[in-house]
Amino acid sequence: GQQVMQIPQYQHVQEGEDFTTYCNSSTTLSNIQWYKQRPGGHPVFLIQLVKSGEVKKQKRLTFQFGEAKKNSSLHITATQTTDVGTYFCAGPTAGNKLTFGGGTRVLVKP
Amino acid sequence: KAGVTQTPRYLIKTRGQQVTLSCSPISGHRSVSWYQQTPGQGLQFLFEYFSETQRNKGNFPGRFSGRQFSNSRSEMNVSTLELGDSALYLCASSPGQGSPGYTFGSGTRLTVV
C-alpha cells in the first residue's frame, strides 16, 4: 500500500547545530503536512505545503516540498532544547486519509 | 476557542472487555479522525467521520468501530480487548476537506492487562 517514510528515525543534535529530516512517499501527494509532538504530548500541526518545489520558513525551521511532490524535508538551524520532540510528516493517501510517517525523534545535547 | 477534548485520559481494562472512548471536536469542525499511536507502529489511521458518515477506514479488525453524532462528537469502541490494543488513542478534528492541518486532542491512554 501507499507509504510515507521518514529518515532518520532518531536524530541526536548538539545544541546550536543544524539538522535535516527527510520524508518520502511511495506516491505523489497533493500536499504534505508537518507536525511536532513533544514528549508526553500530542501532535501539533506546524505547516502544510501544496505546490511542487514549495519552500516555507517558520523562524529557524525551513520546510521544502520536492519537485515531484513525493518527498519533503524539514531543516532546523541553530537547534535549541525547545526543539526536542518527534517530527512527523503526513500526506493524504488512498481515500484521502492522512497517513503519517514514522517520525524523527530529535534529542538535543546541551 | 476550546480545543479537542478526549475522555477519559487514562483507562485500564482487562483482556476480553470492551471500551468506549469519546472525542469532542473543536466547535464548527465536522471532520473527526482517530489514530492509534504505539512506540513500534507510530501513528496508525483508524477511521475518519464527516457529518456522521464514515468517510475512510484504516486496516484494523472489525473489533474497532466508531460513530459520529449530529453535534460532531465522536466515539470509538474496541470490543474483545487484546493486550496489543494498549496504546495512545488520538482524536483529531478539522473543519473538513480542503482545510489544512488537524488539531489533535491529548489522547486516551489505554492499557490492557
Side-chain angles (χ1 to χ4, degrees):
Chain A
Q2 292 169 298
Q3 290 186 327
V4 178
M5 297 150 287
Q6 284 184 255
I7 54 170
Q9 190 174 357
Y10 295 93
Q11 182 80 56
H12 296 254
V13 192
Q14 191 73 45
E15 191 173 12
E17 289 185 342
D18 302 352
F19 75 91
T20 303
T21 176
Y22 300 91
C23 174
N24 294 289
S25 169
S26 57
T27 59
T28 301
L29 299 171
S30 59
N31 68 75
I32 193 84
Q33 301 176 26
W34 284 89
Y35 292 77
K36 177 183 179 181
Q37 184 173 21
R38 294 182 185 275
H42 55 273
V44 174
F45 174 70
L46 294 176
I47 207 162
Q48 175 175 281
L49 304 171
V50 178
K51 299 176 184 175
S52 170
E54 187 172 13
V55 178
K56 286 188 177 180
K57 290 189 176 184
Q58 285 182 349
K59 297 183 181 177
R60 296 177 295 101
L61 277 60
T62 301
F63 304 85
Q64 187 166 8
F65 202 8
E67 293 292 338
K69 301 182 77 172
K70 293 179 72 173
N71 56 73
S72 181
S73 64
L74 161 58
H75 180 78
I76 299 182
T77 58
T79 304
Q80 300 176 359
T81 55
T82 53
D83 295 324
V84 164
T86 302
Y87 293 83
F88 293 96
C89 64
T93 55
N96 208 41
K97 63 186 182 187
L98 194 62
T99 298
F100 283 76
T104 293
R105 186 175 173 188
V106 175
L107 304 164
V108 180
K109 294 177 280 188
Chain B
K1 196 175 189 182
V4 179
T5 304
Q6 289 189 247
T7 56
R9 288 295 308 276
Y10 302 92
L11 208 48
I12 300 176
K13 291 284 188 179
T14 56
R15 278 181 297 175
Q17 285 187 312
Q18 74 163 17
V19 67
T20 300
L21 312 182
S22 179
C23 171
S24 293
I26 290 173
S27 177
H29 284 195
R30 296 165 65 189
S31 171
V32 173
S33 296
W34 289 88
Y35 287 84
Q36 181 195 65
Q37 186 173 35
T38 58
Q41 297 296 319
L43 279 157
Q44 299 291 311
F45 175 79
L46 281 156
F47 23 66
E48 181 204 2
Y49 287 88
F50 182 82
S51 294
E52 301 179 67
T53 301
Q54 188 180 88
R55 197 156 67 168
N56 279 302
K57 190 176 189 303
N59 297 322
F60 278 81
R63 300 185 295 107
F64 291 80
S65 63
R67 58 179 175 169
Q68 186 179 33
F69 302 96
S70 58
N71 61 358
S72 291
R73 190 177 71 85
S74 177
E75 289 181 347
M76 67 163 281
N77 184 276
V78 188
S79 62
T80 320
L81 284 165
E82 300 176 0
L83 295 179
D85 296 333
S86 295
L88 178 66
Y89 290 88
L90 290 160
C91 163
S93 82
S94 75
Q97 198 162 6
S99 302
Y102 284 5
T103 302
F104 281 85
S106 298
T108 294
R109 172 75 63 185
L110 172 65
T111 302
V112 182
V113 297

